[in-house]
Amino acid sequence: MKKVDSYVNYALKDNLVVILDFHHFVEAMKEPDKYKPCFLSVWKQLSERYKNYPPKLIIELLNEPQDNLKGEIWNGYIKDGVDVIRKTNKNRKIIVGPDNYYSLYRLDQLNIPKDNNIMVSFHYYEPNDFTFQGNEYHPGFENLKDVKWTGSDEEIKFIKSRFDIVKKWADKNNVKVFLGEFGANQKAPAESRKLLT
Protein backbone atom coordinates (compact mmCIF):
# COMPACT_ATOMS: atom_id res chain seq x y z
CA MET A 1 0.00 0.00 0.00
CA LYS A 2 2.95 2.35 0.54
CA LYS A 3 3.81 1.91 -3.13
CA VAL A 4 0.19 2.68 -4.11
CA ASP A 5 0.31 5.73 -1.80
CA SER A 6 3.40 6.97 -3.60
CA TYR A 7 1.72 6.71 -7.01
CA VAL A 8 -1.45 8.40 -5.80
CA ASN A 9 0.48 11.19 -4.10
CA TYR A 10 2.72 11.70 -7.13
CA ALA A 11 -0.28 12.10 -9.45
CA LEU A 12 -2.20 14.36 -7.07
CA LYS A 13 0.88 16.55 -6.62
CA ASP A 14 0.85 17.08 -10.40
CA ASN A 15 -2.80 18.11 -10.17
CA LEU A 16 -4.10 14.99 -11.90
CA VAL A 17 -7.38 13.27 -11.11
CA VAL A 18 -6.71 9.77 -9.77
CA ILE A 19 -9.16 6.90 -10.12
CA LEU A 20 -8.47 4.18 -7.59
CA ASP A 21 -10.17 1.06 -8.85
CA PHE A 22 -10.42 -2.66 -8.28
CA HIS A 23 -9.11 -4.31 -11.44
CA HIS A 24 -9.16 -7.96 -12.54
CA PHE A 25 -10.84 -9.46 -9.46
CA VAL A 26 -11.44 -12.63 -11.47
CA GLU A 27 -12.37 -14.73 -8.44
CA ALA A 28 -15.32 -12.47 -7.59
CA MET A 29 -16.53 -12.62 -11.17
CA LYS A 30 -16.49 -16.42 -11.11
CA GLU A 31 -17.83 -16.90 -7.56
CA PRO A 32 -19.45 -13.62 -6.52
CA ASP A 33 -21.16 -14.94 -3.39
CA LYS A 34 -17.93 -16.40 -2.04
CA TYR A 35 -15.80 -13.30 -2.68
CA LYS A 36 -18.19 -10.51 -1.80
CA PRO A 37 -16.97 -10.29 1.84
CA CYS A 38 -13.40 -9.92 0.54
CA PHE A 39 -14.48 -7.20 -1.91
CA LEU A 40 -16.22 -5.24 0.84
CA SER A 41 -13.34 -5.73 3.26
CA VAL A 42 -10.84 -4.33 0.76
CA TRP A 43 -13.01 -1.25 0.16
CA LYS A 44 -13.45 -0.78 3.90
CA GLN A 45 -9.67 -0.70 4.32
CA LEU A 46 -9.04 1.54 1.31
CA SER A 47 -11.83 3.93 2.30
CA GLU A 48 -10.31 4.32 5.74
CA ARG A 49 -6.82 4.77 4.33
CA TYR A 50 -7.79 7.49 1.84
CA LYS A 51 -10.59 9.24 3.72
CA ASN A 52 -8.61 12.47 4.17
CA TYR A 53 -7.37 12.65 0.60
CA PRO A 54 -8.54 15.48 -1.67
CA PRO A 55 -11.62 15.14 -3.91
CA LYS A 56 -9.40 14.54 -6.96
CA LEU A 57 -9.03 10.98 -5.68
CA ILE A 58 -12.03 9.09 -7.06
CA ILE A 59 -13.04 5.52 -6.28
CA GLU A 60 -14.15 3.03 -8.94
CA LEU A 61 -15.76 -0.02 -7.36
CA LEU A 62 -14.77 -2.64 -9.93
CA ASN A 63 -13.59 -2.45 -13.50
CA GLU A 64 -15.73 -4.35 -16.00
CA PRO A 65 -17.80 -6.81 -13.94
CA GLN A 66 -18.49 -9.90 -16.02
CA ASP A 67 -19.24 -13.62 -16.01
CA ASN A 68 -21.35 -14.52 -12.94
CA LEU A 69 -21.08 -11.04 -11.44
CA LYS A 70 -24.10 -9.61 -13.23
CA GLY A 71 -27.64 -8.36 -12.85
CA GLU A 72 -28.96 -8.18 -9.32
CA ILE A 73 -25.81 -9.77 -7.91
CA TRP A 74 -23.73 -6.89 -9.32
CA ASN A 75 -26.32 -4.36 -8.16
CA GLY A 76 -25.96 -5.81 -4.66
CA TYR A 77 -22.19 -5.38 -4.84
CA ILE A 78 -22.72 -1.75 -5.83
CA LYS A 79 -25.18 -1.01 -3.02
CA ASP A 80 -23.08 -2.65 -0.34
CA GLY A 81 -19.82 -1.24 -1.69
CA VAL A 82 -21.19 2.31 -1.70
CA ASP A 83 -22.52 1.80 1.85
CA VAL A 84 -19.06 0.73 3.05
CA ILE A 85 -17.30 3.65 1.37
CA ARG A 86 -19.84 6.22 2.61
CA LYS A 87 -19.07 5.34 6.24
CA THR A 88 -15.74 7.15 5.91
CA ASN A 89 -16.04 9.09 2.64
CA LYS A 90 -19.36 10.92 2.71
CA ASN A 91 -18.85 12.98 -0.44
CA ARG A 92 -16.15 11.25 -2.46
CA LYS A 93 -17.00 10.55 -6.09
CA ILE A 94 -17.63 6.87 -6.78
CA ILE A 95 -17.67 5.35 -10.25
CA VAL A 96 -19.73 2.30 -11.14
CA GLY A 97 -20.72 0.79 -14.45
CA PRO A 98 -22.97 -1.85 -15.95
CA ASP A 99 -22.08 -5.53 -16.03
CA ASN A 100 -20.84 -7.35 -19.13
CA TYR A 101 -17.63 -5.31 -19.31
CA TYR A 102 -19.34 -1.93 -18.69
CA SER A 103 -21.52 -2.48 -21.73
CA LEU A 104 -23.89 0.34 -22.67
CA TYR A 105 -26.33 -2.40 -23.66
CA ARG A 106 -26.63 -3.35 -19.98
CA LEU A 107 -27.33 0.13 -18.60
CA ASP A 108 -31.01 -0.73 -18.27
CA GLN A 109 -30.05 -3.51 -15.80
CA LEU A 110 -27.95 -1.18 -13.65
CA ASN A 111 -29.47 -0.11 -10.34
CA ILE A 112 -27.48 2.54 -8.53
CA PRO A 113 -28.12 4.04 -5.08
CA LYS A 114 -29.57 7.54 -4.85
CA ASP A 115 -26.36 9.45 -4.31
CA ASN A 116 -25.27 12.77 -5.84
CA ASN A 117 -21.64 11.69 -5.97
CA ILE A 118 -21.99 8.58 -8.10
CA MET A 119 -20.90 8.62 -11.74
CA VAL A 120 -21.56 5.86 -14.24
CA SER A 121 -18.89 4.77 -16.67
CA PHE A 122 -19.20 2.74 -19.84
CA HIS A 123 -16.57 1.32 -22.17
CA TYR A 124 -16.93 1.52 -25.91
CA TYR A 125 -14.94 -0.38 -28.54
CA GLU A 126 -17.31 -0.72 -31.48
CA PRO A 127 -17.02 -1.71 -34.24
CA ASN A 128 -15.30 -4.67 -32.57
CA ASP A 129 -13.98 -6.19 -35.80
CA PHE A 130 -12.00 -2.99 -36.34
CA THR A 131 -10.94 -2.15 -32.77
CA PHE A 132 -10.07 -5.68 -31.59
CA GLN A 133 -8.52 -7.05 -34.79
CA GLY A 134 -5.38 -9.09 -34.26
CA ASN A 135 -5.76 -9.01 -30.47
CA GLU A 136 -4.84 -12.39 -28.97
CA TYR A 137 -6.64 -11.48 -25.72
CA HIS A 138 -10.02 -11.34 -27.48
CA PRO A 139 -10.88 -14.81 -28.82
CA GLY A 140 -12.38 -14.67 -32.28
CA PHE A 141 -10.54 -11.47 -33.22
CA GLU A 142 -6.92 -12.68 -33.15
CA ASN A 143 -6.88 -13.66 -36.83
CA LEU A 144 -8.61 -10.55 -38.18
CA LYS A 145 -6.44 -8.01 -40.00
CA ASP A 146 -6.68 -5.06 -42.35
CA VAL A 147 -10.24 -4.27 -41.26
CA LYS A 148 -10.72 -0.58 -42.05
CA TRP A 149 -12.89 2.15 -40.53
CA THR A 150 -13.53 4.90 -43.06
CA GLY A 151 -15.64 7.38 -41.12
CA SER A 152 -18.55 6.96 -43.51
CA ASP A 153 -21.90 8.55 -42.72
CA GLU A 154 -23.27 5.11 -41.83
CA GLU A 155 -20.36 4.32 -39.49
CA ILE A 156 -20.65 7.67 -37.72
CA LYS A 157 -24.44 7.34 -37.47
CA PHE A 158 -23.98 3.95 -35.79
CA ILE A 159 -21.63 5.35 -33.13
CA LYS A 160 -23.86 8.38 -32.50
CA SER A 161 -26.87 6.10 -32.06
CA ARG A 162 -25.01 4.18 -29.35
CA PHE A 163 -24.06 7.36 -27.53
CA ASP A 164 -27.70 8.44 -27.76
CA ILE A 165 -28.65 5.28 -25.83
CA VAL A 166 -26.28 6.35 -23.04
CA LYS A 167 -27.51 9.96 -23.02
CA LYS A 168 -31.15 8.94 -22.82
CA TRP A 169 -30.40 6.57 -19.94
CA ALA A 170 -28.33 9.21 -18.11
CA ASP A 171 -31.05 11.86 -18.53
CA LYS A 172 -33.76 9.47 -17.36
CA ASN A 173 -31.74 8.49 -14.29
CA ASN A 174 -30.31 11.97 -13.62
CA VAL A 175 -26.75 10.68 -13.37
CA LYS A 176 -23.43 11.86 -14.77
CA VAL A 177 -21.80 9.51 -17.24
CA PHE A 178 -18.33 9.35 -18.69
CA LEU A 179 -16.62 7.21 -21.28
CA GLY A 180 -13.99 5.36 -19.26
CA GLU A 181 -12.37 3.39 -22.08
CA PHE A 182 -12.39 3.49 -25.85
CA GLY A 183 -9.95 3.07 -28.69
CA ALA A 184 -8.52 0.77 -31.31
CA ASN A 185 -5.81 -1.85 -31.15
CA GLN A 186 -2.45 -0.90 -32.72
CA LYS A 187 -2.93 -3.73 -35.20
CA ALA A 188 -5.79 -1.82 -36.82
CA PRO A 189 -4.71 0.12 -39.93
CA ALA A 190 -3.03 3.38 -38.87
CA GLU A 191 -4.93 5.53 -41.36
CA SER A 192 -8.24 4.29 -39.94
CA ARG A 193 -7.11 4.89 -36.34
CA LYS A 194 -6.23 8.49 -37.23
CA LEU A 195 -9.80 9.04 -38.45
CA LEU A 196 -11.08 8.25 -34.96
CA THR A 197 -9.08 11.06 -33.30
Side-chain angles (χ1 to χ4, degrees):
M1 285 311 304
K2 288 181 181 177
K3 185 180 271 192
V4 174
D5 292 346
S6 72
Y7 297 146
V8 170
N9 291 331
Y10 183 86
L12 290 172
K13 185 179 169 190
D14 274 359
N15 205 31
L16 296 172
V17 174
V18 176
I19 298 174
L20 184 67
D21 86 342
F22 216 142
H23 224 84
H24 300 302
F25 192 2
V26 176
E27 298 85 356
M29 298 183 199
K30 299 290 184 197
E31 299 180 83
D33 292 337
K34 179 177 179 181
Y35 286 96
K36 187 175 182 183
C38 176
F39 172 83
L40 296 175
S41 178
V42 168
W43 277 121
K44 181 180 179 186
Q45 294 171 61
L46 291 174
S47 298
E48 181 64 34
R49 185 176 195 93
Y50 293 110
K51 67 183 178 184
N52 294 320
Y53 271 63
K56 283 197 170 189
L57 176 64
I58 297 172
I59 289 172
E60 182 170 9
L61 278 184
L62 181 66
N63 180 68
E64 295 189 342
Q66 58 202 259
D67 296 330
N68 296 319
L69 187 53
K70 61 186 176 183
E72 288 310 309
I73 296 171
W74 172 230
N75 288 331
Y77 262 67
I78 292 171
K79 181 195 174 303
D80 295 344
V82 169
D83 286 347
V84 164
I85 292 164
R86 287 293 176 244
K87 288 177 182 172
T88 52
N89 292 260
K90 301 293 184 194
N91 298 308
R92 189 168 305 282
K93 294 264 187 237
I94 299 173
I95 296 169
V96 300
D99 62 17
N100 195 28
Y101 303 90
Y102 274 16
S103 170
L104 68 91
Y105 303 107
R106 295 288 293 168
L107 281 168
D108 60 344
Q109 302 301 310
L110 184 63
N111 186 6
I112 55 174
K114 297 292 181 202
D115 185 309
N116 291 332
N117 286 307
I118 288 182
M119 294 189 298
V120 172
S121 180
F122 73 105
H123 295 173
Y124 189 77
Y125 289 100
E126 291 179 320
N128 296 144
D129 284 355
F130 170 68
T131 62
F132 290 155
Q133 63 184 296
N135 189 327
E136 60 274 12
Y137 298 109
H138 289 86
F141 297 96
E142 63 271 31
N143 296 318
L144 289 177
K145 65 179 185 175
D146 297 323
V147 178
K148 293 180 174 31
W149 191 85
T150 64
S152 69
D153 290 345
E154 185 177 322
E155 289 170 327
I156 291 171
K157 182 179 177 183
F158 178 84
I159 291 174
K160 285 183 176 179
S161 72
R162 296 320 183 251
F163 281 65
D164 284 344
I165 292 169
V166 176
K167 180 168 182 357
K168 286 176 186 171
W169 182 87
D171 289 347
K172 177 182 175 185
N173 291 280
N174 194 29
V175 65
K176 293 179 181 173
V177 174
F178 86 104
L179 178 57
E181 289 183 20
F182 67 97
N185 178 328
Q186 285 187 329
K187 293 179 181 176
E191 64 276 9
S192 291
R193 285 188 281 122
K194 286 178 188 174
L195 288 172
L196 288 172
T197 60

